[in-house]
Amino acid sequence: MLEPVRARVRALADRIRRLERRELDAFVRWIEHTGNLLHLSVLVFVPLLIAVVTWLSNVTAAISFLLFPPLASGTYTLFADPEGRYSTPTKFVGGMTVGALCGWLALALATSAGLNGGPISASGAALSVFFTGAATWALDLEEPTAFSTALLVLVTGNAKFAYVLGIVVSSTFVAAAFAIWRDRFYEERARYLYQTTNADDHVLVPVGDDSETVARFAAELAGAHEAGKVVLFDVVGAVPAGHSDLESAADEAATAAERAASDAVHDLESFADDLQAEYDVPCEVVVAGGDRRSSGLVLQTARRNNCDLIVAPYEEDDRGGLSSFIRGLFDSEIDVIAFRSNDGRRRWRRGLVAVRGSGDTARTMVDFSLRLTESAWPVSVATCIDEESRRRSAENTLADLVDAFSGRFETHVVTESVEAYLSRVARRYDVLFVGSSTDRSAASRFVSPPTFRKLSDLETDVAIVHRGRHR
């Protein structure tokens, strides 16, 4: 009687856990976008820091409430634009402090000259702004909040020294917190947040007639991580069902299948030894019986061997699109690269990453290119725009994309069609990374077919990257 109830409770618990995993994965993917990460940081860190400064102002007279407006706006500027011209600890602390000192000096001069007409000196305000502009310009401390601190000195009365001291203490505290956040987390966000930099270590390679270069490509990717490994997977034909009623024929077929499997294992093990020696990456061999063209069998083998990336030879159907085998691999939770070799190279020195934005797939391609190419050459990241007015936005997008990674980069924003640009520059590179377009809507793909359908004549290796639907 209780068993059906327990079964329903377990089923409900499993559904809740799956929902939690999906929600967590959705949140991780959301926060991977730099803009979302910055907005969240502003919402979390700015209120916390202002709360700490408020507490300090309550326990000491050195921090005046008048410094809160410039401090809050300056703190927001730091966390909202950590790579901006004003977002350095030196400029933040120096600008606010210089502004306060200039205001104090201006008020002293106005007082000594007898120009303090009214409750707040107009001449003192003018001199404050003038001195602040001149000083921040000369010291390269141009900071908008400096003008706020300069003007607020005018209303501090006899607490000018305490106000300036409070500026120094509070801005130094905020700047130190910002520097720790930026250096330890924001600049390292690729390591903490981007899933591909900590995954895609175990790579499955479905072996076919022309897969040697594909396997070498996979070995280069896996070898970039200490935990990496390559699993070479081959399929041998099953025993023909039509001979099952004939004992001798069945025995002969079984013997032939065993011999084929043994030969396949021997050949793969020999190749695996070569890969391991050349690329310094562990290689395993798996041989199964079944249909070589079954994407389901490949996916099942990848899951059983704990592989989080499949690198398969690129295939087309009769209409020039992806073959049903590749489409089947793309329709899974596992990351996939469909690799098309141009001239059978064994090493890749220079890589070009063609992106449409700074999303998940773009970051994955940049990470793969960094793993694959030699550090002596910068990774090229390019995007194409329709009109010149979009250039600044595209440049910012590429800057956000590459800034999260450690490595050398060159970025290109080109007012040209994707296919025309890639056709012109592809021969300069050893490998081109493009997205699979599986994250685009059906209408978008109908209006503008995926880029890789237009790349059949490129004089370089092409890696089409698909990000799995992680659950």
Side-chain angles (χ1 to χ4, degrees):
M1 188 70 178
L2 294 176
E3 188 60 31
V5 176
R6 292 195 185 101
R8 286 196 291 270
V9 171
R10 286 195 296 269
L12 177 60
D14 290 340
R15 285 197 294 270
I16 292 175
R17 283 193 294 269
R18 287 195 297 270
L19 178 62
E20 290 175 345
R21 286 195 297 268
R22 286 197 297 269
E23 293 296 330
L24 178 60
D25 181 71
F27 174 74
V28 170
R29 290 204 171 196
W30 178 83
I31 203 174
E32 284 180 352
H33 288 268
T34 301
N36 295 334
L37 174 62
L38 294 179
H39 285 303
L40 184 62
S41 296
V42 167
L43 292 177
V44 172
F45 291 104
V46 174
L48 286 177
L49 291 173
I50 295 301
V52 172
V53 174
T54 303
W55 177 81
L56 290 175
S57 70
N58 290 330
V59 299
T60 176
I63 298 180
S64 168
F65 186 79
L66 291 174
L67 63 83
F68 278 64
L71 185 67
S73 63
T75 305
Y76 174 85
T77 300
L78 289 178
F79 285 91
D81 187 17
E83 303 295 336
R85 58 180 298 190
Y86 303 121
S87 297
T88 66
T90 301
K91 285 190 175 183
F92 178 71
V93 176
M96 292 185 66
T97 303
V98 167
L101 291 174
C102 288
W104 190 359
L105 174 62
L107 186 59
L109 290 176
T111 301
S112 63
L115 300 176
N116 276 343
I120 300 177
S121 172
S123 56
L127 288 174
S128 294
V129 173
F130 173 77
F131 289 157
T132 300
T136 54
W137 180 20
L139 297 174
D140 193 26
L141 293 174
E142 293 179 278
E143 175 77 30
T145 54
F147 295 93
S148 298
T149 59
L151 291 173
L152 286 172
V153 173
L154 303 180
V155 296
T156 56
N158 296 324
K160 301 179 185 61
F161 176 77
Y163 178 75
V164 174
L165 179 61
I167 288 287
V168 175
V169 172
S170 60
S171 62
T172 300
F173 169 75
V174 170
F178 167 74
I180 294 173
W181 171 84
R182 186 181 63 181
D183 296 341
R184 301 292 178 85
F185 178 74
Y186 180 75
E187 296 291 353
E188 299 293 330
R189 63 191 183 279
R191 179 158 59 96
Y192 294 128
L193 295 178
Y194 299 164
Q195 298 173 15
T196 182
T197 61
N198 299 307
D200 293 328
D201 296 324
H202 298 173
V203 186
L204 181 78
V205 181
V207 177
D209 297 331
D210 186 24
S211 56
E212 178 178 343
T213 303
V214 178
R216 295 184 182 280
F217 179 86
E220 281 274 43
L221 287 178
H225 285 182
E226 292 183 2
K229 75 172 182 179
V230 174
V231 178
L232 301 178
F233 175 59
D234 199 4
V235 179
V236 295
V239 177
H243 294 290
S244 59
D245 58 339
L246 301 174
E247 184 176 348
S248 60
D251 290 342
E252 182 179 346
T255 301
E258 291 177 1
R259 187 182 304 114
S262 178
D263 292 342
V265 170
H266 180 270
D267 293 341
L268 278 186
E269 287 180 341
S270 177
F271 183 39
D273 291 340
D274 292 341
L275 289 179
Q276 185 163 338
E278 184 172 352
Y279 297 95
D280 192 26
V281 61
C283 292
E284 299 177 2
V285 169
V286 176
V287 177
D291 180 8
R292 182 184 293 272
R293 309 312 309 144
S294 171
S295 58
L297 181 58
V298 173
L299 293 170
Q300 181 182 12
T301 304
R303 296 184 187 108
R304 287 180 176 177
N305 288 271
N306 196 31
C307 293
D308 45 14
L309 175 65
I310 298 173
V311 178
Y314 174 75
E315 295 180 358
E316 294 183 350
D317 58 19
D318 296 336
R319 295 172 297 178
L322 292 175
S323 68
S324 59
F325 175 72
I326 298 296
R327 291 200 306 272
L329 296 181
F330 281 0
D331 190 24
S332 73
E333 79 284 2
I334 301 176
D335 294 348
V336 179
I337 294 178
F339 184 75
R340 195 204 71 186
S341 174
N342 182 57
D343 58 4
R345 60 172 50 90
R346 296 190 173 194
R347 297 286 181 177
W348 294 264
R349 297 184 303 166
R350 302 200 63 185
L352 172 64
V353 181
V355 302
R356 293 187 294 113
S358 58
D360 191 30
T361 301
R363 292 191 296 271
T364 301
M365 293 191 293
V366 171
D367 177 61
F368 285 160
S369 186
L370 284 172
R371 293 198 210 178
L372 190 74
T373 56
E374 295 182 358
S375 58
W377 298 87
V379 171
S380 297
V381 184
T383 190
C384 295
I385 57 177
D386 298 326
E387 51 192 22
E388 194 63 25
S389 60
R390 297 184 55 197
R391 177 171 296 277
R392 184 178 297 276
S393 174
E395 289 174 346
N396 292 336
T397 297
L398 294 186
D400 286 341
L401 175 60
V402 303
D403 180 64
F405 295 90
S406 297
R408 299 176 59 197
F409 294 96
E410 59 182 17
T411 58
H412 305 275
V413 177
V414 186
T415 311
E416 191 176 8
S417 67
V418 177
E419 58 270 26
Y421 171 71
L422 295 179
S423 297
R424 177 167 55 84
V425 304
R427 64 178 63 91
R428 305 175 191 171
Y429 299 92
D430 298 324
V431 60
L432 164 67
F433 288 89
V434 295
S436 64
S437 299
T438 49
D439 59 342
R440 293 168 56 187
S441 66
S444 172
R445 290 194 297 272
F446 176 78
V447 174
S448 179
T451 301
F452 58 80
R453 290 190 179 182
K454 310 168 185 177
L455 306 181
S456 57
D457 297 328
L458 292 184
E459 300 176 17
T460 187
D461 292 351
V462 178
I464 302 171
V465 178
H466 163 77
R467 283 290 277 160
R469 301 192 311 274
H470 297 276
R471 295 180 176 89

